[in-house]
């Protein structure tokens, strides 16, 4: 553990070593928060070693969970894996709340089915409602955004009629279907209605670490608040309101500070060093969205002289193909090291089609040349994880996916 602490800078180390209460660590872009979370988790393990208690580390994406888990396996040398679990918030809620206690909910009393967006029943019902409400083809992808708030009402997806969203939710309940978004909703119902569930979780987990807290939804925060009520769990939350990317999926970055106040967390810790960007980029970023204290370039690229450029264009295609890609080629940057970002993934579909047409390889939304219903879609994530970190466990997971999807 000590060798890991030695790699931290003073700001990072201060957050890790505070153990006398909850902490909200405000971490700017590229500030090494994953390293801090790994160090914090290992630091917390020492407080539960040789007990029945555990540490939970909650993330918002499978990629983040894989990254943290991989770094932990690289660092641990003993039995540390007995004392922690790393999962997305959906995975945490499913394994610790919904699966053990679903029988307490009337519509899920006899069991439930996780309904993926490529399931036949999902597709047929979505298309039926699209026809019923006379919507265009765009509407199909919007169904993935439907989720119920803690009060049971669907969160407002502005592109879909409210009646459609209510009808969709009722259909899910009638058939004991649970979508990815609904896992958190049902788990929230359980912890709010049956205090013994949250009490058990508070007894099991001495610490709960939450990554990218600014991307938490009200339903997710409800679960954490119910656990906090019992005073047996200490929270370590890492986030930055300026980096919220899941507002379209129900995230409420303003709840970051509200939760910190609710649990009386220490909010004095800051990570201001940016290890990814140059001083030029940090300066421009501060002009667009100021931090307090300001972000500083501290990594190997800090002195990179290439200035950021800004182009005002009529549409994304003009910006990418008329300005961005020519600049990339001029700089000699390999395409595999280039990223294109957008405020929402749907806007990337048209770009991806044009990239394919021009024979430019791309990975991400809209980049797949196959339909979403094809079984190969299930292989993408584990294969990508293996390519990023070639470990035997991940390779086995790929093979399991492959064998289970092979035609018979």
């Amino acid at each position: 553990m000590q060798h890991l602490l030695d790699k931290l800078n003073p700001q990072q180390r201060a957050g890790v070593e505070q153990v006398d209460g909850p902490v909200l660590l405000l971490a700017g872009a590229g500030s090494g928060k994953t390293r801090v979370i790994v160090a914090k988790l290992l630091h917390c393990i020492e407080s539960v070693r040789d007990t029945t208690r555990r540490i939970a580390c909650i993330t918002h994406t499978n990629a983040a969970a894989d990254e943290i888990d991989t770094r932990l396996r690289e660092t641990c040398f003993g039995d540390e894996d007995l004392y922690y679990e790393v999962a997305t918030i959906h995975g945490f809620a499913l394994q610790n709340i919904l699966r053990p206690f679903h029988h307490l909910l009337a519509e899920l009393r006899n069991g439930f089915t996780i309904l993926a967006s490529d399931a036949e029943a999902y597709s047929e019902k979505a298309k039926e409602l699209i026809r019923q409400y006379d919507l265009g083809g765009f509407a199909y992808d919007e169904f993935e955004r439907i989720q119920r708030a803690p009060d049971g009402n669907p969160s407002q997806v502005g592109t879909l009629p409210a009646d459609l969203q209510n009808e969709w939710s009722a259909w899910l309940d009638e058939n004991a279907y649970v979508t990815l978004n609904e896992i958190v909703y049902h788990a929230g119902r359980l912890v709010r209605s049956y205090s013994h569930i949250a009490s058990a979780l508070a007894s099991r987990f001495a610490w709960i670490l939450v990554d990218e807290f600014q991307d938490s939804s009200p339903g997710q925060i409800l679960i954490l608040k119910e656990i906090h009520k019992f005073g047996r769990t200490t929270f370590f939350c890492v986030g930055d309101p300026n980096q919220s990317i899941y507002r379209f999926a129900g995230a409420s970055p303003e709840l970051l500070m509200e939760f910190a106040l609710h649990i009386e967390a220490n909010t004095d810790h800051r990570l201001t060093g940016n290890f990814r960007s140059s001083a030029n980029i940090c300066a421009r970023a501060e002009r667009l969205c100021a931090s307090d204290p300001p972000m500083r370039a501290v990594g190997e690229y800090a002195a990179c002289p290439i200035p950021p450029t800004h182009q005002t264009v009529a549409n994304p295609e003009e910006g990418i193909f008329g300005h961005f890609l020519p600049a990339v080629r001029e700089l000699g940057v390999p395409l595999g090291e280039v990223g294109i970002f957008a405020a929402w993934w749907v806007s990337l579909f048209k770009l991806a089609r044009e990239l394919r047409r021009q024979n430019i390889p791309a990975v991400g939304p809209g980049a797949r040349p196959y339909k979403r219903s094809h079984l190969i879609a299930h292989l993408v994530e584990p294969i990508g994880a293996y390519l990023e970190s070639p470990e035997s466990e991940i390779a086995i997971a790929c093979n399991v996916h492959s064998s289970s999807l092979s035609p018979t």
Side-chain angles (χ1 to χ4, degrees):
M1 176 63 199
Q2 186 59 45
H3 77 282
L4 192 59
L5 287 175
D6 291 341
K7 295 181 179 180
L8 303 180
N9 63 34
Q11 289 182 336
Q12 294 169 333
R13 188 161 182 160
V16 170
E17 293 186 330
Q18 179 182 324
V19 295
D20 58 347
V23 170
L24 168 61
L25 177 65
L26 293 173
S31 58
K33 65 181 179 56
T34 302
R35 175 180 290 184
V36 170
I37 289 172
V38 170
K40 182 68 176 182
L41 193 153
L42 293 174
H43 196 265
C44 292
I45 284 176
E46 299 309 311
S47 67
V48 301
R49 190 178 293 277
D50 298 324
T51 75
T52 58
R53 306 198 75 191
R54 294 167 64 84
I55 315 298
C57 182
I58 296 174
T59 71
H60 285 276
T61 66
N62 288 326
D66 288 340
E67 172 69 14
I68 292 171
D69 202 37
T70 296
R71 293 201 195 185
L72 285 167
R73 289 198 299 271
E74 291 172 348
T75 306
C76 296
F77 300 100
D79 61 353
E80 289 91 347
D81 60 330
L82 297 175
Y83 297 104
Y84 71 82
E85 62 179 66
V86 181
T88 64
I89 181 62
H90 298 91
F92 177 85
L94 180 63
Q95 297 299 333
N96 291 291
I97 304 173
L98 191 55
R99 279 191 172 143
F101 302 106
H102 66 84
H103 60 279
L104 298 174
L105 300 176
E107 62 273 37
L108 306 181
R109 181 173 293 119
N110 298 319
F112 62 92
T113 299
I114 298 294
L115 190 68
S117 59
D118 57 357
E120 184 177 357
Y122 181 109
S123 178
E124 289 181 354
K125 186 61 179 180
K127 290 176 180 177
E128 174 192 322
L129 290 172
I130 289 172
R131 290 191 299 269
Q132 178 182 330
Y133 286 87
D134 194 25
L135 301 176
F138 75 91
Y140 188 91
D141 288 320
E142 298 294 271
F143 277 77
E144 292 189 42
R145 297 175 59 198
I146 300 176
Q147 59 182 313
R148 278 176 278 190
D151 63 5
N153 294 313
S155 300
Q156 291 304 308
V157 178
T159 52
L160 296 176
D163 288 344
L164 178 150
Q165 296 177 60
N166 287 319
E167 193 169 340
W168 173 260
S169 299
W171 173 76
L172 293 175
D173 290 345
E174 290 166 4
N175 293 277
Y177 289 142
V178 178
T179 63
L180 178 66
N181 286 333
E182 294 277 285
I183 291 172
V184 168
Y185 164 64
H186 289 302
R189 293 172 62 201
L190 285 166
V191 296
R192 184 170 53 185
S193 300
Y194 300 95
S195 60
H196 68 277
I197 299 175
S199 178
L201 293 172
S203 295
R204 182 182 311 162
F205 296 107
W207 287 82
I208 293 181
L209 284 53
V210 186
D211 186 18
E212 304 289 10
F213 198 96
Q214 74 277 358
D215 286 324
S216 299
S217 68
Q220 295 163 9
I221 292 175
L222 166 66
I223 295 172
L224 301 179
K225 283 184 175 180
E226 291 296 326
I227 296 172
H228 174 262
K229 279 183 181 179
F230 294 91
R232 297 193 288 270
T233 301
T234 305
F235 289 84
F236 182 81
C237 304
V238 181
D240 179 3
N242 294 334
Q243 296 185 67
S244 179
I245 60 174
Y246 284 101
R247 190 180 288 273
F248 71 90
S252 299
E254 59 272 13
L255 296 178
L256 173 66
M257 293 305 300
E258 190 273 337
F259 182 76
L261 292 173
H262 179 80
I263 65 174
E264 299 181 343
N266 182 346
T267 60
D268 294 334
H269 296 290
R270 301 282 196 282
L271 300 185
T272 59
N274 186 313
F275 291 88
R276 284 201 301 255
S277 304
S278 68
N280 278 330
I281 291 177
C282 288
R284 303 294 177 90
E286 284 296 313
R287 289 170 59 186
L288 291 171
C289 189
S291 305
D292 183 21
M295 179 170 53
R296 302 170 295 111
V298 297
E300 59 179 303
Y301 305 109
C304 178
I306 301 174
T309 62
H310 178 267
Q311 295 286 344
T312 301
V313 295
N315 53 64
E317 291 75 21
E318 178 188 336
I320 297 300
F321 298 103
H323 299 278
F324 179 66
L325 288 178
V328 166
R329 294 188 180 101
E330 184 178 344
L331 290 169
V333 179
L335 289 179
E337 298 179 9
V338 170
I340 298 174
F341 299 90
W344 190 30
W345 58 273
V346 169
S347 61
L348 294 172
F349 273 91
K350 189 175 180 181
L351 281 176
R353 286 196 295 269
E354 181 60 23
L355 287 168
R356 287 204 309 274
R357 193 187 69 78
Q358 297 191 24
N359 200 31
I360 299 174
V363 176
R368 301 190 300 266
Y370 49 82
K371 294 181 180 179
R372 66 163 61 222
S373 58
H374 287 192
L375 296 178
I376 189 66
H378 295 281
L379 293 171
V380 172
E381 187 167 313
I383 289 174
Y386 178 70
L387 292 174
E388 180 70 22
S389 181
E391 300 178 12
S392 58
E393 293 90 346
I394 297 177
I396 291 171
C398 291
N399 289 331
V400 169
H401 277 280
S402 180
S403 62
S404 65
L405 295 171
S406 297
T408 57

